[in-house]
Amino acid sequence: MKKFKKLAMAMTLIFMFSLVGCGGSENTSGDKTKFKSGKYIGEAKGHNGNIKLEVEVDEEKIKDIKILEHKETKGLSDPALNDIPKEIIEKQSLAVDVISGATVTSNGVIEAITLALKNAGGNIDELKKVSGSDDSSKKELVKKEADVIVIGAGGAGMSAAVAAAEEGAKVIVLEKMPMIGGNTIRSGGAYNAVDVEAQKAQGIEDSIDKHFKQTFEGGDKKADEKLVKILVEGSLEGKKWLQSYGMKFNEKIGSVVGSLWTRTHQASDAAGTGYMNTLKEAGDKLGVEILLNTKATELIVENDRVVGVKAEDKDKNLLELRGKKGVVIATGGFAANVEMRTKYVPSLTADKPTTNHPGATGDGIVMGEKVGADLVGMEHIQLLPMAIELTGPTINVENSIFINKEGKRFINEDNRRDKLCEAIMKQKDGQYYMINDSQIIKEKNELGDNIEELIQKGVVIKADSIKELAEKIKIDEKVLQETINEFNKAVENKKDSFNRTLWKNKIEKAPYYATLRHPAVHHTMGGLKINEKTQVLSKSGEIIQGLYAAGEVTGGIHGGNRLGGNALPDTIVFGKIAGKNVVK
Ligand code: ADP
């Protein structure tokens, strides 16, 4: 790290020097010389560390940009690392947009390129000017046809696409963002599935009935029982399906905040990248076509049947895409749409943080409603008890305790997410510390974030003793010690005054970790009403022909509260069903 700092300082000096040195030679005389030809290094901070790249210029043009080093997460950062350099070369300009959802990486790439171009004698102010040319006259109408059109390339959309392509269908997927993955790729990667054999081998008792009961009752019996049954019965098969395409899960079965039981399979790759990379590769092999930066705007209905989608690309060209067999809506939820979420839950105003990607705006709900679709459970919006953006040492709950700013536990940590949030909001500042010890902390958390870096950023507090931890988080040492002693005693007896049921390790092995967390808007459980075949139903309960939906855009699966770890099986199980049925 020290080395890095020194290097960065040295580079800054070089940049400053070269700026002074080349200021006079910038192109003011009308000749075409823009740069001193050669290769220049630029380096700037990304999400997980520095991004180092090389820019090659001749006297007139930016010729090439190569990323030399970076620590960004595969899948999540690809569009920023690949598309931004491409666009800068194409436009010969630094006036490019950041990739929403990968803002930090985008800014890092742009800054590094800017520094390199500065070093090459480029006039940065000129390069940053937005060209005034309006090419709106060149807009085209593009028409395309396939068997199946899928809207949204998250977990549900890509599962539907792959499942339909397995049946031999030609599939086109529309994705409005510059990258696939939606909320799925940003999730913690946790997947609930009853696997009696594997759980038994790890000393865990479980059954499909138990998963059903916990899901249904954990959602206050507000879900559609038939859909819950499909979810819990199909989740193991969904996991095996992913594995058949090469996806890797960790061997150890655990639990996440709000999962209520130890049946969570953790993806081996960071966050939701394992799911999305697997589905993308499977789709590629099966010939699935994905149109990025293409936003579906309207369903096309002919003779009472949904036959296609109208869409718009990045350059505002219009597209008309027809699906001979039908259309699958898999546009995800609406937690990032303040207007829509406050319509159903007025308290979830703009000042409430969300864990969602910016594309989670409920477009599929609007498009569905326009063709008469019924909505169900729209008022059920889940807050995640453990923001900020899930970045702590872990999302595991069996080895965690939550303490308030007085140093005391205030709830059983294995409770439902809605109950946890209610309790957290009653604590000082609406925040709490998640406390862990070294037994479960690995080099990286489930999202792929490096713990040492989180410690350096001050997100995670690390201490060699409880005393030191108490000092660092400004809690009375005696109170914290007493809380931990009491918890450790409860671990021995598997019993505490809060009625906690999930017990694993004591908190006893230094170093100790604390992360300050709070609730954030996370998952919208309501949406389009579907039947067991994922066909979208109208307000009068009839099937809307040609229209299917899967994933967070649908309602009726989680009821009033979703179990942690149940969202990914929802997208895979119902995505697959949609893909199979639309082809039939
Ligand atoms: P799920 O978990 O249900 O698959 P995700 O949030 O993972 O939901 O994925 C939904 C995807 O749909 C996101 O990538 C999002 O950008 C995309 N999307 C949302 N609205 C549209 C739209 N109007 N056109 C195309 N894609 C959309």
Side-chain angles (χ1 to χ4, degrees), residues 152 154-156 175-177 181-184 294 296 330-332 357 363 551-552 571:
E175 171 52 57
K176 71 174 175 181
M177 305 303 280
N183 280 340
T184 304
T294 306
T331 47
H357 83 117
D363 303 9
E552 199 179 337
T571 63

Side-chain angles (χ1 to χ4, degrees), residues 18 35 97 201 246 411 436 444 496 506 512 524 531 537 542:
S18 62
F35 308 108
D97 290 333
I411 190 165
N436 306 101
K444 288 184 172 184
D496 68 357
K506 291 180 181 176
Y512 301 97
T524 48
N531 66 13
L537 302 176
E542 277 155 27

Side-chain angles (χ1 to χ4, degrees), residues 1 47-49 71 450-459:
M1 213 51 209
H47 193 271
N48 300 341
K71 290 185 184 165
N450 186 303
I451 304 302
E452 273 311 311
E453 272 168 22
L454 292 178
I455 292 166
Q456 273 170 26
K457 282 182 191 163
V459 174

Side-chain angles (χ1 to χ4, degrees), residues 278-299:
T278 302
L279 290 167
K280 169 77 170 58
E281 276 168 31
D284 286 348
K285 279 192 195 127
L286 292 162
V288 170
E289 185 182 355
I290 302 172
L291 305 178
L292 294 176
N293 293 306
T294 306
K295 181 181 174 181
T297 51
E298 198 181 329
L299 297 167

Side-chain angles (χ1 to χ4, degrees), residues 431-449:
Q431 295 172 323
Y432 71 99
Y433 284 102
M434 187 190 238
I435 307 289
N436 306 101
D437 78 359
S438 65
Q439 293 178 83
I440 55 148
I441 306 303
K442 303 196 185 99
E443 197 189 331
K444 288 184 172 184
N445 67 8
E446 292 87 347
L447 293 169
D449 295 325

